């Protein structure tokens, strides 16, 4: 998919890519060539009219980004293909994902990946979101764990065929900077919000994922400090090699 920030630069390309790729897969599954479909949705389905704290599974979704619109519409189509054609489609609304392997690619939550790379390379980072922007996030290992768990769940356990809320940790740029400073006391953080601030401000700060926890026993392993420690350890190795 084209993610939230890139999608705002290329709206029609984002619409074409994000929707047509889903239809190709759903139609292959409808034709019997694919047995089970996983489709990633996102916290971007929510918008400024959504309750921001502990956002419920079923709530107002009025996204303001093209990316969010494609994810919301995609969720509707996933559920439609399940109800109408019996396609076994499963989906998660991912929060911002943080990985030391995948480089950031056009998202609003990318600052939380870039910051670790810059901390190791430069000892400083300029955040494109303001210091108190609280967003739902997750370490990649937890995202993989959730994805394999939902795909392994018996179909009768899944009460949601649009997309599940999923949550692990919420933090602000200031929180992540403090967590890095605990390991690298000389790390310097500065703030220069750009157009991505408005996108972040339209998203929830925390997510109620109790339905996922109930239906397929979801639980996360990484909190902010554990993630920071793993990110810094792995990236130190990467940049020394
Ligand atoms: N990480 C994504 C983005 O920022 C949200 O799904 O666009």
């Amino acid at each position: 998919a084209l993610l939230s920030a890139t999608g705002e630069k290329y709206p029609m390309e984002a619409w074409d890519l994000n929707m047509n790729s889903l239809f190709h897969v759903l139609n292959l599954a409808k034709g019997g060539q694919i047995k089970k479909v996983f489709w990633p949705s996102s916290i971007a389905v929510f918008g400024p009219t959504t309750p921001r704290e502990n956002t419920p599974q079923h709530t107002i979704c009025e996204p303001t980004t093209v990316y969010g619109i494609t994810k919301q519409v995609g969720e509707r189509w996933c559920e439609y293909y399940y109800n109408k054609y019996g396609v076994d489609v499963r989906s998660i609304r991912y929060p911002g994902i943080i990985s030391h392997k995948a480089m950031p690619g056009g998202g609003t939550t990318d600052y939380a990946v870039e910051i670790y790379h810059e901390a190791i390379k430069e000892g400083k980072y300029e955040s494109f979101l303001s210091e108190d922007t609280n967003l739902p996030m997750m370490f990649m290992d937890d995202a993989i764990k959730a994805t394999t768990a939902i795909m392994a769940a018996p179909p009768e356990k899944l009460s949601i065929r649009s997309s599940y809320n999923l949550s692990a940790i919420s933090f602000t740029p200031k929180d992540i900077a403090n967590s890095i400073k605990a390991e690298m006391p000389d790390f310097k953080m500065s703030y220069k919000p750009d157009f991505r601030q408005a996108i972040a401000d339209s998203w929830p700060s925390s997510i109620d994922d109790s339905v996922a926890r109930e239906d397929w026993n979801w639980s996360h392993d990484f909190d902010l400090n554990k993630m920071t420690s793993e990110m810094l350890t792995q990236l130190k190795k990467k940049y020394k090699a």
Side-chain angles (χ1 to χ4, degrees):
L2 279 190
L3 296 188
S4 58
T6 316
E8 293 310 286
K9 291 185 182 150
Y10 308 103
M12 292 325 295
E13 286 82 354
W15 176 259
D16 285 345
L17 177 66
N18 298 5
M19 296 318 304
N20 288 331
S21 55
L22 173 61
F23 280 124
H24 291 319
V25 173
L26 286 178
N27 285 327
L28 284 169
K30 182 185 163 195
Q33 285 96 334
I34 301 174
K35 293 279 168 260
K36 248 190 233 178
V37 174
F38 178 75
W39 187 69
S41 187
S42 162
I43 53 165
V45 295
F46 303 119
T49 51
T50 305
R52 282 182 68 82
E53 300 293 336
N54 237 355
T55 302
Q57 174 70 46
H58 300 285
T59 187
I60 300 167
C61 293
E62 296 181 329
T64 51
T65 62
V66 176
Y67 177 66
I69 294 169
T70 64
K71 291 297 178 191
Q72 183 193 35
V73 173
E75 287 189 6
R76 295 290 91 227
W77 278 109
C78 287
E79 192 186 78
Y80 185 87
Y81 269 66
Y82 172 74
N83 286 333
K84 196 95 179 180
Y85 310 119
V87 169
D88 187 357
V89 54
R90 303 158 183 226
S91 174
I92 284 170
R93 290 170 174 157
Y94 289 118
I97 305 293
I98 292 137
S99 161
H100 51 82
K101 290 189 183 145
M103 291 303 280
T108 301
T109 55
D110 286 2
Y111 90 85
V113 185
E114 288 171 6
I115 190 170
Y116 290 112
H117 289 265
E118 295 305 305
I120 300 291
K121 288 194 295 185
E122 306 290 339
K124 61 180 181 169
Y125 181 65
E126 184 172 87
S127 170
F128 57 76
L129 297 183
S130 66
E131 62 180 345
D132 52 1
T133 308
N134 200 25
L135 286 172
M137 301 276 187
M138 180 176 287
F139 189 51
M140 181 62 98
D141 292 28
D142 276 330
I144 293 169
K145 180 182 162 191
T147 311
T148 52
I150 193 176
M151 293 314 283
E156 64 276 10
K157 291 272 182 205
L158 303 175
S159 63
I160 304 287
R161 292 296 185 150
S162 51
S163 193
Y164 278 92
N165 276 10
L166 191 74
S167 129
I169 36 179
S170 286
F171 56 78
T172 65
K174 193 177 180 181
D175 295 332
I176 194 171
N178 286 338
S179 140
I180 293 173
K181 273 182 202 160
E183 298 209 17
M184 301 175 61
D186 294 334
F187 175 71
K188 296 264 177 308
M189 181 79 157
S190 56
Y191 302 91
K192 197 177 174 195
D194 67 14
F195 73 100
R196 289 167 281 194
Q197 184 67 47
I199 301 177
D201 288 343
S202 79
W203 289 350
S205 52
S206 61
I207 301 284
D208 175 359
D209 63 354
S210 49
V211 184
R213 288 178 192 259
E214 176 74 21
D215 282 6
W216 40 277
N217 298 322
W218 158 244
S219 68
H220 67 279
D221 295 327
F222 282 80
D223 63 15
L224 175 57
N225 289 337
K226 188 171 168 192
M227 177 175 83
T228 293
S229 168
E230 182 66 10
M231 286 294 287
L232 294 177
T233 306
Q234 295 302 330
L235 290 177
K236 267 178 207 156
K237 282 189 213 156
K238 178 182 173 132
Y239 286 113
K240 269 193 193 130

